[in-house]
């Protein structure tokens, strides 16, 4: 984004908003757009039957296991991922939390959804390297995408949505983000 269209995310006391609104270059102040999980509760852990339906064992037997592929998983949380490293998740994973006000360790918080998504990706491509990015807002998402591009990921996987934040016609800030990732050789899958 150029300076004229730059966005920042800041946490302000309510009585400071009026003063910040008078700063030169400030054109709009609003709450950030927050991600919404399409399936907010996974309940208990389940075993997927999708690998058999995809005939994954045949792909794996032929050597197609994702070796050398880097996959970024963007979600609202990765509860329990640490206990799965080396079993249901690869031995080496890079994680990053982009949620303001949280500590890096809080990537293991909020929801199991991201962990489940990462497990499925690992089941399908056990040779791939995984990068887990926790987000909550559209600004967090932009920061996560920038980080994943710096890690030279080949694929970005998101299972999140944002309601009523784009025109719905394939344009807007999210379409621009995806197009930019694609221009950097990244396949974005939602």
């Amino acid at each position: 984004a150029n300076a004229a269209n730059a966005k920042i995310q800041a946490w302000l006391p309510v009585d400071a908003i009026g003063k910040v609104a008078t700063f030169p270059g400030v054109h709009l102040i609003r709450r950030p757009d927050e991600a919404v999980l399409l399936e907010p509760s996974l309940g208990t852990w389940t075993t997927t039957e999708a690998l058999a339906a995809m005939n994954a064992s045949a792909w794996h037997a032929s050597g197609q296991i994702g070796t050398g592929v880097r996959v970024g998983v963007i979600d609202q949380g990765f509860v329990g991922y640490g206990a799965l490293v080396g079993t249901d998740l690869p031995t080496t994973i890079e994680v990053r939390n982009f949620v303001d006000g949280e500590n890096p360790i809080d990537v293991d918080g909020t929801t199991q959804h991201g962990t489940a998504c990462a497990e499925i990706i690992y089941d399908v491509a056990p040779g791939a390297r995984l990068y887990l990015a926790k987000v909550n807002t559209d600004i967090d998402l932009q920061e996560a995408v920038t980080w994943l591009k710096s890690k030279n990921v080949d694929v970005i996987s998101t299972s999140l949505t944002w309601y009523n934040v784009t025109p719905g016609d394939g344009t807007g800030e999210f379409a621009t983000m995806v197009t930019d990732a694609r221009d950097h050789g990244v396949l974005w899958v939602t």
Side-chain angles (χ1 to χ4, degrees):
N2 62 38
N5 294 322
K7 291 174 29 174
I8 63 167
Q9 180 168 290
W11 300 97
L12 302 170
V14 172
D15 58 354
I17 294 174
K19 182 174 182 175
V20 170
T22 65
F23 292 174
V26 173
H27 301 284
L28 174 70
I29 295 176
R30 65 168 171 79
R31 288 181 53 92
D33 296 315
E34 294 185 58
V36 178
L37 286 173
L38 296 175
E39 297 179 36
S41 175
L42 294 175
T44 59
W45 294 99
T46 59
T47 302
T48 181
E49 296 174 9
L51 290 177
M54 287 187 270
N55 199 17
S57 59
W59 285 99
H60 293 167
S62 72
Q64 301 299 318
I65 61 169
T67 302
V69 176
R70 295 170 177 245
V71 180
V73 183
I74 300 174
D75 213 289
Q76 284 187 304
F78 298 89
V79 169
Y81 86 90
L84 302 175
V85 171
T87 57
D88 291 331
L89 291 173
T91 304
T92 303
I93 296 179
E94 288 190 49
V95 299
R96 184 102 183 255
N97 189 351
F98 294 93
V99 179
D100 289 350
E102 289 191 357
N103 294 312
I105 196 167
D106 294 332
V107 73
D108 187 352
T110 309
T111 178
Q112 299 171 337
H113 188 269
T115 307
C117 292
E119 283 184 275
I120 292 167
I121 291 166
Y122 183 59
D123 286 344
V124 172
R129 180 161 183 160
L130 296 184
Y131 299 81
L132 310 182
K134 183 179 180 186
V135 302
N136 186 46
T137 69
D138 56 331
I139 302 294
D140 300 341
L141 178 66
Q142 180 63 59
E143 292 170 345
V145 172
T146 299
W147 175 66
L148 292 171
K149 287 188 314 188
S150 78
K151 295 297 181 177
N152 297 312
V153 298
D154 302 292
V155 178
I156 291 177
S157 171
T158 58
S159 293
L160 300 170
T161 191
W162 278 260
Y163 289 120
N164 301 318
V165 297
T166 63
D169 62 358
T171 64
E173 69 178 284
F174 292 95
T176 300
M177 226 181 297
V178 172
T179 299
D180 180 63
R182 185 67 210 137
D183 290 346
H184 284 86
V186 179
L187 171 65
W188 191 314
V189 180
T190 299

